[in-house]
Amino acid sequence: MTIGIGLLGLGTVGAGVAGILANPEGRHPLVGELALKRVAVRDLSRPRPVELAPELLTTDPEAVVDDPAVDIVVEVMGGLEPARSLILRAINAGKPVVTANKAVIARYGEEINAAAAAKGVYVLIEAAVGGGIPIIEPLKQSLGGNRIQRVSGIINGTTNYILSRMADEGAAYADVLADAQRLGYAEADPAADVQGGDAADKIAILAGLAYGGRVERAAIPTEGIDRLDSRDVAYAAQLGYGVKLLAVAQHLGADAVASGEAPHQLLDVRVHPTLVPKDHPLAGVHGVNNAILVEGDPVGRVMFYGPGAGAGPTSSAVVADILNIAGIRQVSGSQAQAPLDPLLAASSWRQCRLVDSSLTTHRNYVRLRTTDEAGVIGKIGSCFGQAGVSIQSIVQFERSAEAAEGRAEIVVITHDVQEAQFRAALGAIEALEEVQAVAACLRTL
Ligand code: NAP
Ligand code: HSE
């Protein structure tokens, strides 16, 4: 039984998917049953890395969705619109959807899932997070028996590639970003990668699955690597840390509510550059690789690792979703309106709320620019002490340029402290006459 595939997009990911479908030998036999029927692109004249019959291509994506020969719609065009409307159009036509579009799912996942549930069709999103790493299905199915306490990790390949090459080769940020774009890792607008938005989309999706309720994407505190100073990467290395863009979703408990009301699950969800101790498993994740740590009861800690972006890994995940749907069609028959498998279909079963970030607790790295004179470190230490902030280490870095001008760079690493307390200490430090600037402030694992 041939299953017709409609591709919306033939860029990095779309061409990867078309390549797998065109060459089924040695893969699961179901791949041989998938036939590409229609493909939407923006520019018909653009050269493509895969050879396709010209009549398959169209610049009208609705024609792909509406084509009666298309049984499964694969959205790999990116952007919010028309991607969202095309996904909804496919669902309304009773066609299952596979998408790699985390931006759409993080913002419109609830609307899309409700439409899919009403129509009894699957919308599968394995490629939206972690590139080739299976993480969506494990969270929905394999780890379903757990209470998840924390999901954290490196979930943007572009920024990990940039940070790795900056740390290993001292490569310039702009050059490495251009390489990431050339290799097909970066988003169409790479600001989404370097400003942390792509990782925030992905952690919103992971947290929604792990904690069973929608996470408000716009409420996630997000900081990227675009303002990271290479001297902090160098100082961190001297102190025994690597710098990684981490996304974290931590379960903090549930709020108290009046009887009869369902409590909200309280979550600390955030994205920011983070100092990771060199002996931590995430510190060894280099290049375009991603890694996601899931901590649950009773499983303990499991880590998912692999290539997080690029044509091959991402199309592997897209085709896995297509095969899931194809397998179900084979069992239930194309016409049968079988009920959705509740573990494969996305579902919300409780409500989640992000806590006020000033109440969350973290370790911090602070770099201060000060005058180089006796007693400065003591005054800084007192400000932290008076605010109840415990210091793990305080180090003065000697740089000849600063020393020649009578200035110093002092780096402090704190123990765990509530964000509000830490900010109060920083306010007092900034007010010291000897402190010229709080030059950098990063989180530490
Ligand atoms: P891409 O290389 O920019 O490809 C986008 C494709 O969509 C192009 O073929 C483009 O046509 C087509 N397209 C865009 N807007 C269209 C429109 N309005 N009508 C018709 N065709 C349109 O993007 P990509 O890297 O493959 O990413 C696709 C999606 O996968 C995005 O949601 C992205 O976030 C996600 N994703 C990407 C990766 C990765 O490593 N690249 C990994 C995971 C997820 P033209 O070719 O004619 O311009
Ligand atoms: N731009 C994304 C990244 C693609 O670099 O991780 C994979 O989602």
Side-chain angles (χ1 to χ4, degrees):
M1 179 177 66
T2 299
I3 297 170
I5 305 299
L7 262 187
L8 301 173
L10 191 64
T12 301
V13 183
V17 173
I20 295 176
L21 301 192
N23 179 14
E25 206 186 310
R27 311 187 202 277
H28 191 282
L30 260 183
V31 178
E33 317 250 319
L34 308 173
L36 201 52
K37 295 293 184 184
R38 215 74 204 282
V39 181
V41 295
R42 242 178 332 215
D43 178 359
L44 289 174
S45 66
R46 203 173 137 190
R48 307 285 166 185
V50 279
E51 231 175 88
L52 292 180
E55 62 273 17
L56 289 187
L57 295 180
T58 173
T59 53
D60 178 3
E62 290 186 356
V64 173
V65 174
D66 297 346
D67 191 326
V70 167
D71 300 306
I72 301 175
V73 173
V74 178
E75 188 279 301
V76 284
M77 66 200 304
L80 297 180
E81 286 294 354
R84 167 187 157 275
S85 299
L86 290 164
I87 291 171
L88 291 170
R89 189 179 181 98
I91 293 168
N92 286 330
K95 297 187 182 186
V97 176
V98 172
T99 179
N101 195 330
K102 54 273 173 151
V104 161
I105 296 300
R107 287 163 187 78
Y108 303 112
E110 207 177 26
E111 178 191 23
I112 288 169
N113 290 337
K119 275 285 182 181
V121 296
Y122 290 101
V123 175
L124 300 188
I125 61 165
E126 186 59 70
V129 184
I133 306 172
I135 180 63
I136 300 290
E137 292 314 318
L139 273 178
K140 285 199 288 197
Q141 304 192 13
S142 327
L143 294 169
N146 286 271
R147 293 189 192 98
I148 306 294
Q149 293 138 350
R150 188 175 153 98
V151 180
S152 61
I154 297 165
I155 51 176
N156 182 268
T158 300
T159 47
N160 204 50
Y161 176 79
I162 293 173
L163 289 173
S164 300
R165 287 200 47 203
M166 283 173 75
D168 297 347
E169 306 161 26
Y173 174 88
D175 294 345
V176 196
L177 174 57
D179 283 347
Q181 289 176 284
R182 189 177 44 74
L183 291 164
Y185 301 159
E187 296 302 302
D189 177 0
D193 296 294
V194 298
Q195 293 175 4
D198 177 76
D201 290 346
K202 291 167 175 169
I203 197 69
I205 293 170
L206 294 182
L209 293 172
Y211 303 115
R214 186 182 83 90
V215 169
E216 194 192 342
R217 165 63 182 85
I220 298 176
T222 303
E223 198 187 318
I225 64 160
D226 51 328
R227 284 179 295 161
L228 187 65
D229 191 320
S230 58
R231 83 170 64 186
D232 292 307
V233 178
Y235 289 166
Q238 290 179 53
L239 294 169
Y241 297 87
V243 180
K244 298 288 182 190
L245 184 68
L246 288 199
V248 179
Q250 168 105 35
H251 188 236
L252 300 176
D255 61 4
V257 288
S259 71
E261 276 181 43
H264 287 90
Q265 303 306 308
L266 302 177
L267 306 179
D268 176 16
V269 183
R270 54 205 155 78
V271 172
H272 45 66
T274 308
L275 272 69
V276 179
K278 288 262 164 75
D279 59 357
H280 190 280
L282 292 176
V285 177
H286 299 298
V288 72
N289 288 308
N290 284 191
I292 301 130
L293 281 171
V294 180
E295 291 160 57
D297 167 28
V299 71
R301 185 195 256 194
V302 285
M303 178 155 143
F304 298 81
Y305 169 83
T314 313
S315 54
S316 159
V318 169
V319 173
D321 279 347
I322 298 174
L323 290 176
N324 254 322
I325 294 167
I328 290 166
R329 283 176 70 91
Q330 247 197 3
V331 174
S332 61
S334 57
Q335 302 308 319
Q337 195 66 19
L340 292 179
D341 170 346
L343 290 183
L344 190 57
S347 59
S348 280
W349 35 277
R350 53 186 186 173
Q351 300 205 56
C352 294
R353 184 160 68 75
L354 299 199
V355 293
D356 176 349
S357 58
S358 68
L359 302 176
T360 58
T361 297
H362 315 281
R363 295 177 69 213
N364 302 278
Y365 160 106
V366 196
R367 173 162 58 88
L368 303 166
R369 215 173 297 133
T370 71
T371 52
D372 191 6
E373 60 188 270
V376 178
I377 287 185
K379 286 188 182 178
I380 291 167
S382 298
C383 291
F384 277 123
Q386 278 159 19
V389 179
S390 167
I391 292 174
Q392 181 201 291
S393 70
I394 185 161
V395 181
Q396 178 164 335
F397 282 92
E398 298 294 345
R399 289 170 62 100
S400 46
E402 274 93 26
E405 292 169 14
R407 289 187 286 119
E409 291 224 292
I410 293 171
V411 167
V412 182
I413 295 185
T414 73
H415 284 299
D416 268 328
V417 57
Q418 199 181 60
E419 182 69 10
Q421 250 175 303
F422 174 68
R423 292 285 154 195
L426 274 193
I429 288 166
E430 268 180 311
L432 291 174
E433 195 181 314
E434 296 85 348
V435 173
Q436 283 137 24
V438 176
C441 203
L442 300 168
R443 298 274 167 77
T444 305
L445 265 192

